[in-house]
């Protein structure tokens, strides 16, 4: 299993508060003082209509293969709208660039079989201390066959939204409480470590809300 982590990292190490630096925490507190809603920090990544978010692994230190016929991207999400579409893709990057090996999409309305579930909208995107919360949203992606991975390649997960007529904010959580994951079988298993990085900056063109 791979975990989406802050700083756009994709790794086998689950979220751990011991990885949060004083700078990360100060950055989050400063953002919460400015807005309870649209922003990105160590706990979650936000993006708006026509944008996307990506998580990339370190280079593989040994060859392996993705052997499972199905990849499930289990996102913990929020949105400023009663419902929102989410798409996900898995890509492999090497010397010749990036190649998508699987993709899928779904809607928050359809997160449970047989019933349409409407969300409260912007209120769920408040800070969790002020009532914000997440819902689980699985996105299934089928593979045509085993994917052979050479030593040194990277894996990347991209998450985007639909073509909304008006602005819709989307949030992907990646903290210890709501840990978004990529579920797939890799043989042999590999270790992809988390590396502390600089404090997360708000993506350009996506103002705080």
């Amino acid at each position: 299993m791979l975990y989406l982590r802050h700083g756009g990292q994709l790794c086998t190490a689950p979220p751990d508060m011991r990885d949060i630096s004083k700078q990360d925490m100060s950055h989050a507190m400063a953002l919460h003082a400015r807005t309870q809603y649209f922003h990105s920090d160590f706990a979650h990544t936000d993006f708006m209509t026509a944008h996307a978010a990506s998580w990339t692994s370190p280079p593989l230190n040994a060859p392996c293969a993705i052997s499972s016929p199905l990849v499930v991207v289990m996102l913990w999400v929020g949105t400023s709208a009663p419902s929102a579409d989410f798409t996900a893709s898995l890509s492999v990057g090497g010397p010749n660039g990036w190649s998508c090996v699987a993709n899928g999409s779904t809607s928050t309305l359809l997160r449970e079989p047989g019933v349409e579930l409407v969300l409260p909208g912007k209120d769920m995107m408040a800070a969790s201390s002020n009532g914000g919360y997440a819902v689980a949203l699985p996105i299934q992606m089928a593979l045509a066959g085993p994917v052979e991975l050479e030593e040194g390649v990277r894996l990347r997960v991209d998450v985007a939204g639909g073509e909304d007529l008006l602005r819709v904010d989307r949030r992907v959580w990646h903290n210890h409480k709501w840990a978004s994951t990529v579920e797939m079988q890799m043989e042999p298993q590999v270790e992809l470590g988390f590396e502390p990085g600089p404090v997360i900056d708000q993506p350009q063109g996506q103002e705080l809300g």
Side-chain angles (χ1 to χ4, degrees):
M1 180 181 293
L2 303 180
Y3 293 88
L4 280 60
R5 299 290 303 273
H6 68 281
Q9 296 190 55
L10 184 66
C11 59
T12 53
D16 190 328
M17 285 300 294
R18 290 174 295 185
D19 292 330
I20 308 305
S21 67
K22 291 182 179 180
Q23 290 81 5
D24 289 325
M25 187 63 71
S26 297
H27 174 256
M29 293 176 65
L31 284 173
H32 290 182
R34 295 173 60 189
T35 176
Q36 289 295 306
Y37 299 102
F38 184 83
H39 66 277
S40 294
D41 59 33
F42 68 83
H44 56 78
T45 297
D46 292 4
F47 62 95
M48 62 180 64
T49 299
H51 292 80
S54 299
W55 290 264
T56 305
S57 77
L60 271 62
N61 58 14
C64 65
I66 304 173
S67 56
S68 53
L70 195 67
V71 175
V72 179
V73 179
M74 177 60 75
L75 300 177
W76 284 91
V77 304
T79 176
S80 62
S83 66
D85 296 329
F86 282 80
T87 66
S89 64
L90 175 66
S91 299
V92 177
N96 297 321
W98 290 93
S99 175
C100 179
V101 297
N103 61 77
S105 62
T106 191
S107 169
T108 56
L109 277 178
L110 308 176
R111 64 187 186 275
E112 294 185 16
V115 59
E116 292 189 354
L117 299 173
V118 177
L119 295 171
K122 187 176 181 179
D123 287 346
M124 77 177 298
M125 291 190 69
S128 57
S129 59
N130 287 333
Y133 67 97
V135 296
L137 184 67
I139 302 180
Q140 297 187 351
M141 307 187 297
L143 293 173
V147 179
E148 300 291 335
L149 303 173
E150 298 178 354
E151 181 179 352
V153 304
R154 296 173 181 262
L155 299 175
R156 189 182 73 207
V157 170
D158 299 303
V159 178
E163 296 181 358
D164 311 304
L165 296 178
L166 300 175
R167 171 176 166 170
V168 174
D169 297 339
R170 291 168 172 83
R171 171 169 294 170
V172 176
W173 286 86
H174 38 67
N175 62 357
H176 66 285
K177 182 178 181 180
W178 295 310
S180 295
T181 60
V182 182
E183 301 171 11
M184 60 185 179
Q185 184 66 38
M186 299 179 70
E187 298 179 352
Q189 295 184 358
V190 296
E191 295 293 328
L192 300 171
F194 175 81
E195 294 292 339
V199 171
I200 300 165
D201 289 327
Q202 193 72 16
Q204 292 185 358
Q206 300 193 60
E207 67 275 8
L208 299 178

